[in-house]
Every structure is written in structure tokens, then in C-alpha cells.
Amino acid sequence: MAAHRHRWQVLLFLVAIILPCVVLVVLGLRMVAQERELAEKRLADGRRSLTGQLRQELSARLDRTALRQATTLRSEPGRALLRAYQDPAVALVATVADRHLVLPWERDPRSTRFRRSLDQDRFARLVARGEHAEIVLRDPDGAIGTYSEALAAASDPAQATWARLLRGRAALAAGRRHDALTDYTAVLASGLDIVDEHGVPLALYAATRLLETGGQREAVVDAVRRTAGGPRWLSPTALYLLRDLGRRLGRAADTAEEQSVRDLAHAIDARLARSEQAIALQRDFPRLRLEVGGGPSPGAEARWISYGTPAWLVGRAAALGGEGEIVVAVWADSLLPSIERAVVPPSGVSGQLAMASGDGTDGERLGDAFPGLVVRFGSPAAASEPGWGVRRWFYLVTLVLVVSVALFGAYLVSRDVRRELRLAELRSQFVSAVSHELKTPLTAIRMFAETLQLGRALDPGTQTEYLETIVNESERLTRLLNNVLDFSKIERGKKQYRRSPTDLAEIVDASARAMRYPLEQQRFTLTVAVQDGLPPADVDGDAIEQAILNLLANAMKYSGDSRVIELRLTRADGQAVIEVADRGVGIGPDEQGKIFDQFYRVPTQDNEGIPGTGLGLTLVRHIAEGHGGRVSVASVPGQGSTFAIHLPLGNGDA
Ligand code: ADP
């Protein structure tokens, strides 16, 4: 029955406490998870927005650049020959003709002018004659004469410079070094802007010769530097020649000059690299499948691809005036950082534009318009979620708090329930105990009374004995009923003590007298010791007697084989102390605190055979405390117990 109920209680407990706790924890965890999801979503949104901004900005910048180059090309075609465009990020602007890329140096009008100039009838004939004398007839002196004629007949600087170059060569062949140097020096001075059909400035040929003959080193260095540093694109042929010159100069340089010559070589290498990248682009161009976009139609999305190392962003745009298309290449390295600077990233997000590394795992693609570009995001900073850490702690602490409060409440409830359960159990035991206790004296009374009623021949001694037994058992019954009634009064809070000045010695004597018969019957020796001169106490005499009787009855019940009980009344510390001492079974230290609880009986084998209700000591304590006193016990198991009621004494005549 109890176990069954207990199981129900556990179930109820689970449902009422644990379930809400679990639900709470699950809800809390869900909330945390949702917060995190939200943060992730916010981050993803932020990244998408940043990517969009970068794409837009980049697209706008590149389109603007392309448009500006197209405009410039239309208004100043000569500009295309210059390496430095208005926009320093532009690496190359080339036109498209017949689906082929035309590189800047390929449309150099100076080359065309040079060819046309040299092809002039009279000059061309004189040059042909001079070359015949110099190369076929091996007559350098004759050639010098003819070249001088050509020089005199020259109608423009190109012809004059060319004639000097040829005459210098013939002079060298004729062994007239001085004359040759004079001619070459003149070419060096004037020929920087005169370019042959290979795009090579004539001055560079003169410089090569001068270097071979060991003259005019300073002028050579100067010409090389001016050519290399010039604003125009140079043809690859010119650049290779320039590089060759630069190397030769470097080999012969003294320490003072070394650094500047090395810088010069670097500059030439850089130009060569850029030209080579342009040539590679020209070669690959038909395969690149670049869409025409940007340019004059704003809003049209240009398609920009990355090309080469260092990376160029190459795009194709319509040229203005319906004249085909242009291709614009932009240095990615110099453009991308400025794009990043122009964008305001959403809070908590940071990202960089970068070239895709092929495997595509290194960032988010910028979009179809920019197949070679990705955005690399910085790891989300902790600061990106201000308060999230605090909030999370708040959740956790609240959760722990709520759960612990719930569990604590559950513990209290379960403790109460357990106590209630035990009490109910004790109460039911009590009912059977009381019934049992009532039965014994009633049986005795009835038996003796019936015997007397039959009026059998009984001697007067036996008759008296029977009557005494009946009286005695009735008294026991009365005591028992008093206990039960008092207890019920106490429980209902209705117990009142009618106090009046009372001589405690009399109460003690009365108690001893009341118990005389049962004590005698069970052959107990009761020693009563009363200290003289105690003042009367303000007590309810009946209640105090009831308490002493309870203690004496206990002493008899729990004496075991001992037959000695002492009853004492003394005075200590201004209090009256009534002691009942036995030499019986005693009480273990653990039990001493519990025996005063209602219905409590020490659960030993011996006690089970002894009738009792567990109310006697409860009443003793209540009576003592009801008089402003207390009850105490001193006991050693196997040696006996001493119970003491301490009562305050009126200061009366003390
Ligand atoms: P009961 O009706 O069982 O005697 P009490 O309240 O009077 O109820 O006593 C409570 C318990 O205390 C007893 O069951 C007994 O185990 C223990 N007890 C009381 N008095 C003594 C005593 N003098 N010696 C040993 N044990 C005692």
C-alpha cells in the first residue's frame, strides 16, 4: 500500500517538477541555439551585403575607367602611345581590330612616317648607291662620299639622321674612328624621337656603336636613361636592345655608377615584363571570350577577367563613335585596395578582394562578371556581437537559478510529503496500539468483576485483592485515556493548564502513592527522595502528576530485569527538578532526540513486546514546556535512563 503510494508520489513528482525543468532547459537551449543561428544569419547577410557593395563599387570603377579611356582615345588618339594613362591603375589600353588586339606600339605613326621618309626617291637612290659601294664593292671611302651626299640632300631630320648613321658605319669600316664618333654622337643627340619600322629609336643604334668603340659613355648612359624613362611605349625590339645596352653598361660600370645603372636595368626589365604580358594577352585574346560591356552604355555589366602575373583585370568596352572596341587592363593590386577603402562594411564584417586561387575554396566568388575575383572574409570578431557573451551568461545563470529553485522546492515538498507519510503510518500504528492498551485493563476489570458478581465463596482477603486490581486497572485506563485526550487537545491547541501555587513534594508523593500497587505487583522498589524546604510552584498539579506518572510507567516498562526505580525532587539553579531514574534498557544517543516526538517508539525487538502509544513523552515535554520548563534525558544503553522535568520556582518565599 505504502510502496504503491510512494510510486505514485514519485510519478507525480516527475511530472510536476522534473518535466517543467526539462522543458525549461530545452527551451533555454533552444533560445541559445536560435540566438546563435540569428548571429550566423546576420553574419551571412552582412557578408552578402559587403560582397554586393564591393561588386558594385568595382564594377562602377572599372566601367568608369573603361569609359574614360574610350573617351580619351577618341579625343586624343596620340595618348594611347603613352604608358602613363590618366588613371595610374590602368596598365594597358589596346584597340581591337578584326578580333585582334592592336598593341600601342604597333600603331606608332613615327614608324610609318620614317618608312615613308626613307622611301623618297632621290634619298633612297643615294642610300642604295652608298650601300652598294660599302657592302658589294667594299669601298668605304666611296660610301662615305655618297652618304655625305645623301646627308646634304636630306629633306627632313629622319633622312639626315639615317644618313649620319650609315656614314658613321662606313667611317668605322674605313678606320676613321674620329669621324665615326662625330656622326654617332650627332645621331645620339638628335635621334631619340626618330624611330625605325621596328619601333627602335635610331639613337639606340648609335649608342650601341659608341659603346663598342668606347666613346661618349656619359652620353650613352643619358640616352639609355631617357629612352627607358620616356613616356611612350617602346616596341619589344627596342626594349630588348635597351636591355642589352643596359647590361653592357652595367658590366663596365665603376662603383660610383653601379647603383644607378642597376636601377636602370630594373626599370628596363619592368617595362619589358609589362610589354611581354601585353603580348601574351594579345596572343590569348581570341580565346578569352570577353563580353563587351561597360563603356558608353551605363548599367551594362562589364565582364572583367583577371590575367597574368602581376594580375591585370582585363575588360572590353565599345569604343566611342562606333569605331570598334577597346580593351582596358587595370593593375588589380593598385585598384582593389582603393575599392575596399571606398566601401563601408556592415558592422562585424570585414573582407578583402583577392584573386581567386583556382581551386575556389579561398573565399566567396564576386560574381559572374568577375570570374577571377573572390572576397576573403576576416574571421567574425568577438566584438561583432556586443552583448552576446553577456546575454548568454545571463541565460545560463537564469536557467541554473530557475532549475535549482525548482529542485529545491521539489526537495522541500518531497521532505514534507515523506514526513506526512511517516506520521500517517505512525497514526495508524497508534490506533492499534491504543486499542491494544485499552483491551488489557478492560479484560482484567471484567474478569475480576464477573468473579465477584458470581459471589462464589471468596475469602475477604481475595475479595479485597480483586477489588484493588479493578481499581488499579481502572486508574491505568484513566491514565491512558487522559493521555489520549490531552494529546488531542494539544493537537487542536486547546490544552490549558490551570495553575495555582502547589507544593511539588505533595505531587511527588501522590504520584508514588498512585503507582504503589502496580509497582508492588511487579516487585519494583521505588525510592522517593524529596529535598526539604522547596517553595510552592505555580503549576497545574494534575498535569505535573500526569507527567510524573508517565515517567514512572515508562521506567517500569523499560526496566528489563532491573527492579529499582528512584523518584527525586531537588532544587538546582532556582528550578525544581523532578527526576525519574531506572536501571533498565537505556536509550541510544541517536534515539534520545526522537523519543519526545509524537507516536515515536524506539524500534527495537524488545520494545515490540511492550505496549505503548508513543505519546507519553510527548505529553511530558508539552507539560514541562507549558509551565515554562523543559524535560531532559540522560541515558546509557544497558545501564538505565534518568528523565528530569525542570520547572521554574516562583520567587515567592524562596
Ligand atoms: P511509549 O508509549 O512507547 O512508552 P513514550 O512516548 O512514553 O511512548 O516513549 C517513547 C519511547 O521512548 C518508548 O517507546 C521507549 O522506546 C523510549 N523510552 C521511554 N522511556 C524510557 C526509559 N525509561 N527507558 C528506555 N526507553 C524509554
Side-chain angles (χ1 to χ4, degrees):
M1 166 75 185
H4 182 72
R5 233 167 84 185
H6 204 72
R7 212 171 309 132
W8 263 108
Q9 231 120 28
V10 169
L11 244 157
L12 216 79
F13 178 75
L14 279 179
V15 171
I17 305 291
I18 305 281
L19 217 69
C21 275
V22 169
V23 169
L24 213 72
V25 167
V26 168
L27 279 182
L29 289 179
R30 244 187 77 93
M31 206 142 100
V32 169
Q34 263 172 359
E35 276 280 351
R36 186 170 310 146
E37 257 170 49
L38 211 73
E40 266 164 27
K41 201 173 117 41
R42 227 177 287 141
L43 185 67
D45 284 350
R47 287 181 165 178
R48 208 171 309 125
S49 146
L50 178 61
T51 307
Q53 279 190 59
L54 287 171
R55 187 190 308 117
Q56 214 168 12
E57 180 67 24
L58 185 64
S59 183
R61 277 284 286 277
L62 288 171
D63 288 353
R64 226 182 301 136
T65 304
L67 181 62
R68 194 167 330 131
Q69 297 309 324
T71 316
T72 310
L73 212 59
R74 181 167 161 73
S75 56
E76 315 167 53
R79 272 261 194 182
L81 292 170
L82 301 183
R83 283 183 303 136
Y85 304 94
Q86 306 108 310
D87 191 339
V90 175
L92 175 74
V93 177
T95 50
V96 180
D98 198 15
R99 302 179 62 218
H100 270 271
L101 217 53
V102 181
L103 297 173
W105 59 85
E106 290 176 340
R107 58 189 170 210
D108 192 342
R110 295 174 305 173
S111 293
T112 330
R113 265 206 308 277
F114 177 79
R115 197 60 268 156
R116 222 181 293 130
S117 172
L118 254 55
D119 282 349
Q120 258 178 27
D121 218 21
R122 190 164 124 71
F123 183 78
R125 245 182 295 126
L126 283 171
V127 166
R129 225 174 63 211
E131 281 180 334
H132 181 78
E134 184 187 352
I135 297 159
V136 182
L137 304 177
R138 296 187 182 276
D139 173 16
D141 288 315
I144 290 170
T146 318
Y147 290 145
S148 296
E149 256 179 79
L151 179 60
S155 61
D156 62 23
Q159 290 180 352
T161 311
W162 185 244
R164 273 189 205 282
L165 203 58
L166 295 177
R167 195 173 69 181
R169 187 175 67 191
L172 269 187
R176 288 152 65 172
R177 185 171 171 272
H178 182 73
D179 290 347
L181 286 186
T182 312
D183 273 334
Y184 283 140
T185 308
V187 172
L188 197 62
S190 64
L192 221 55
D193 218 22
I194 298 165
V195 177
D196 72 2
E197 66 265 43
H198 305 293
V200 181
L202 298 188
L204 289 190
Y205 295 124
T208 312
R209 288 286 127 70
L210 280 172
L211 217 56
E212 281 165 359
T213 51
Q216 298 290 335
R217 189 181 154 84
E218 261 171 48
V220 170
V221 172
D222 182 55
V224 168
R225 182 167 291 137
R226 273 166 55 205
T227 313
R232 285 169 178 276
W233 282 94
L234 289 171
S235 71
T237 321
L239 281 172
Y240 287 125
L241 194 61
L242 208 56
R243 187 177 65 179
D244 191 46
L245 273 169
R247 283 187 184 159
R248 284 201 213 175
L249 283 172
R251 244 173 272 140
D254 52 29
T255 40
E257 207 186 26
E258 207 179 301
Q259 185 58 45
S260 75
V261 170
R262 201 179 304 142
D263 290 347
L264 191 58
H266 280 313
I268 295 167
D269 285 344
R271 290 195 62 166
L272 204 52
R274 186 169 161 190
S275 292
E276 277 168 352
Q277 193 161 337
I279 291 167
L281 178 66
Q282 182 183 46
R283 190 189 56 227
D284 293 335
F285 182 71
R287 278 182 284 132
L288 290 183
R289 301 159 56 97
L290 259 174
E291 268 173 36
V292 184
S297 52
E301 216 184 351
R303 205 177 137 92
W304 294 82
I305 56 156
S306 62
Y307 185 86
T309 333
W312 288 352
L313 287 171
V314 179
R316 195 167 164 179
L320 292 182
E323 292 160 15
E325 298 156 13
I326 61 165
V327 165
V328 177
V330 177
W331 299 109
D333 283 350
S334 73
L335 178 70
L336 299 188
S338 75
I339 298 292
E340 282 153 21
R341 276 196 301 275
V343 160
V344 183
S347 74
V349 181
S350 65
Q352 269 186 329
L353 279 172
M355 312 311 295
S357 66
D359 54 7
T361 56
D362 51 10
E364 189 172 312
R365 292 190 55 233
L366 197 59
D368 288 340
F370 307 98
L373 283 179
V374 292
V375 183
R376 288 202 188 115
F377 296 108
S379 59
S384 72
E385 273 291 328
W388 167 229
V390 177
R391 242 178 10 250
R392 185 165 39 186
W393 274 114
F394 176 74
Y395 287 149
L396 276 174
V397 168
T398 310
L399 205 71
V400 167
L401 219 72
V402 167
V403 169
S404 22
V405 165
L407 288 180
F408 183 66
Y411 163 73
L412 288 184
V413 167
S414 81
R415 204 186 56 173
D416 254 27
V417 164
R418 245 181 307 138
R419 193 183 289 161
E420 215 39 65
L421 253 156
R422 208 188 55 184
L423 216 63
E425 214 172 298
L426 288 176
R427 230 179 236 134
S428 82
Q429 278 174 15
F430 162 75
V431 171
S432 70
V434 168
S435 319
H436 184 70
E437 278 221 52
L438 286 174
K439 222 166 154 188
T440 318
L442 269 178
T443 313
I445 290 169
R446 187 167 168 192
M447 191 183 79
F448 287 112
E450 275 173 359
T451 311
L452 285 172
Q453 191 187 31
L454 283 177
R456 292 248 180 87
L458 287 173
D459 59 89
T462 315
Q463 249 177 28
T464 317
E465 192 189 324
Y466 280 15
L467 284 172
E468 266 180 347
T469 307
I470 289 171
V471 170
N472 185 46
E473 288 300 310
S474 306
E475 276 170 353
R476 204 171 120 192
L477 215 55
T478 310
R479 271 204 312 278
L480 180 68
L481 287 176
N482 279 345
N483 274 354
V484 174
L485 286 176
D486 279 355
F487 174 70
S488 98
K489 271 189 195 157
I490 287 168
E491 269 223 312
R492 283 179 289 132
K494 292 256 171 75
K495 178 71 189 170
Q496 279 175 352
Y497 297 108
R498 283 181 297 276
R499 297 161 74 157
S500 59
T502 311
D503 185 0
L504 288 177
E506 265 175 32
I507 304 282
V508 168
D509 279 340
S511 308
R513 243 181 288 121
M515 293 301 274
R516 190 185 52 84
Y517 182 75
L519 283 166
E520 261 174 19
Q521 265 204 330
Q522 294 181 37
R523 281 185 278 287
F524 272 100
T525 313
L526 177 69
T527 325
V528 182
V530 175
Q531 190 177 331
D532 287 334
L534 246 71
D538 186 30
V539 296
D540 181 336
D542 290 344
I544 299 298
E545 186 177 337
Q546 190 188 2
I548 297 171
L549 290 181
N550 279 352
L551 290 181
L552 284 173
N554 276 355
M556 286 168 68
K557 283 198 284 184
Y558 304 108
S559 263
D561 296 332
S562 152
R563 281 293 173 268
V564 181
I565 298 175
E566 288 166 50
L567 175 59
R568 293 188 286 266
L569 170 63
T570 51
R571 180 184 183 163
D573 298 334
Q575 284 192 322
V577 182
I578 302 163
E579 283 177 308
V580 177
D582 63 59
R583 295 179 195 166
V585 296
I587 305 158
D590 290 347
E591 303 288 343
Q592 289 178 14
K594 299 183 196 167
I595 51 175
F596 296 98
D597 291 349
Q598 54 194 27
F599 308 125
Y600 187 82
R601 307 196 67 210
V602 176
T604 59
Q605 202 95 54
D606 296 338
N607 277 5
E608 266 171 36
I610 299 169
T613 55
L615 282 183
L617 288 180
T618 312
L619 281 169
V620 172
R621 184 174 65 179
H622 194 274
I623 291 165
E625 287 172 0
H627 286 84
R630 66 189 171 89
V631 62
S632 66
V633 60
S635 179
V636 178
Q639 291 185 19
S641 318
T642 301
F643 284 84
I645 300 169
H646 305 253
L647 292 171
L649 280 174
N651 44 2
D653 51 357

